[in-house]
Amino acid sequence: MAKEPKPISPLKNLLAGGFGGVCLVFVGHPLDTIKVRLQTQPPSLPGQPPMYSGTFDCFRKTLIKEGITGLYRGMAAPIIGVTPMFAVCFFGFGLGKRLQQKSPEDVLNYPQLFAAGMLSGVFTTGIMTPGERIKCLLQIQASSGENKYTGTMDCAKKLYQEFGIRGFYKGTVLTLMRGTPPGKYPNGFRDVLRELIRDEGITSLYKGFNAVMIRAFPANAACFLGFEVAMKFLNWITPNL
């Protein structure tokens, strides 16, 4: 006799999603560090080579100069931010699916799954930005040699002291906006885009593309593997939750 389908548990999705987020950060953070450093390296002087010639050059130089810990620079911020973000993301997705089901047996169609995914995005926006902002500031600081922030908590404290709560949400439009020198881009995204294209051409918008693509496969695989393992464990210890 076939097992009776169980209703979707948003709470289990929340817990399993959090574990999946931890797995994603641990696997993907080294290449995320490389991506940010490639995107934020200073323009090279005429006749001089750039600081990093590409993804593998950046990886090699970071490893030689800072060791393996350099690749995990600023990881505390995404662990703190990404873990609840993915927890809330999967919670929103599970909730979105459950709200559209009249019974556990209902199979959702693609538009319904799309709608559930949109709900999950609404849940994650407010959590994601502060952690990403702090992470990028720490990663950029390490590559530039500055010592403004001693760590995640120090960065968060100084951001709040200098800019208030808005400091955590500065630059939410594009990744390029994260980690900019305060006051350099008063008009935000438009100023960044104009300067990048004027000084470095359209290819500047794709700096770190290789690192992003290489990171995407193992990081997201680790996230969903972690989610499924955690969900199976939760179903085993709390079948009626």
Side-chain angles (χ1 to χ4, degrees):
M1 186 175 179
K3 290 184 178 180
E4 185 178 340
K6 294 180 179 179
I8 295 169
S9 171
L11 180 57
K12 285 182 180 178
N13 276 262
L14 178 76
L15 298 173
F19 184 71
V22 171
C23 295
L24 179 140
V25 172
F26 185 77
V27 172
H29 192 78
L31 282 165
D32 192 68
T33 299
I34 301 303
K35 177 205 73 174
V36 171
R37 292 187 178 185
L38 286 171
Q39 289 175 334
T40 58
Q41 64 179 319
S44 57
L45 298 174
Q48 296 293 321
M51 182 183 295
Y52 307 115
S53 61
T55 299
F56 295 104
D57 183 56
C58 183
F59 180 86
R60 182 179 62 84
K61 288 178 178 176
T62 300
L63 202 60
I64 292 172
K65 184 179 179 181
E66 304 172 51
I68 192 69
T69 57
L71 297 172
Y72 285 92
R73 189 80 61 186
M75 191 176 75
I79 283 287
I80 295 169
V82 171
T83 300
M85 182 191 78
F86 274 87
V88 172
C89 177
F90 279 99
F91 170 81
F93 186 59
L95 181 62
K97 290 193 292 184
R98 184 165 183 175
L99 290 173
Q100 297 179 88
Q101 284 183 318
K102 295 180 180 178
S103 68
E105 294 83 8
D106 289 349
V107 178
L108 300 181
N109 55 36
Y110 291 129
Q112 288 175 315
L113 291 172
F114 181 80
M118 289 178 65
L119 183 63
S120 73
V122 172
F123 276 84
T124 60
T125 302
I127 297 175
M128 178 180 179
T129 308
E132 288 291 301
R133 172 79 167 143
I134 293 169
K135 177 201 72 176
C136 287
L137 286 174
L138 291 172
Q139 288 172 331
I140 295 166
Q141 171 182 270
S143 63
S144 65
E146 296 179 2
N147 291 301
K148 184 176 181 180
Y149 310 113
T150 59
T152 300
M153 297 306 297
D154 183 58
C155 183
K157 182 176 73 173
K158 288 178 179 175
L159 265 180
Y160 183 77
Q161 288 173 344
E162 291 182 42
F163 307 107
I165 195 68
R166 293 179 62 186
F168 294 100
Y169 290 91
K170 181 182 179 182
T172 58
V173 178
L174 286 177
T175 303
L176 290 173
M177 293 295 293
R178 290 183 250 150
T180 55
K184 185 177 180 182
Y185 303 110
N187 295 318
F189 166 66
R190 288 177 297 169
D191 285 352
V192 175
L193 183 63
R194 189 183 302 114
E195 181 178 302
L196 279 172
I197 294 177
R198 183 190 68 224
D199 295 345
E200 304 176 54
I202 195 71
T203 56
S204 64
L205 300 176
Y206 292 90
K207 281 184 179 178
F209 178 81
N210 290 341
V212 172
M213 292 304 295
I214 295 171
R215 172 188 179 275
F217 294 100
N220 286 286
C223 175
F224 283 94
L225 176 63
F227 174 81
E228 292 296 335
V229 169
M231 185 63 78
K232 288 182 182 297
F233 178 73
L234 290 171
N235 286 333
W236 176 60
I237 61 170
T238 56
N240 298 317
L241 181 64

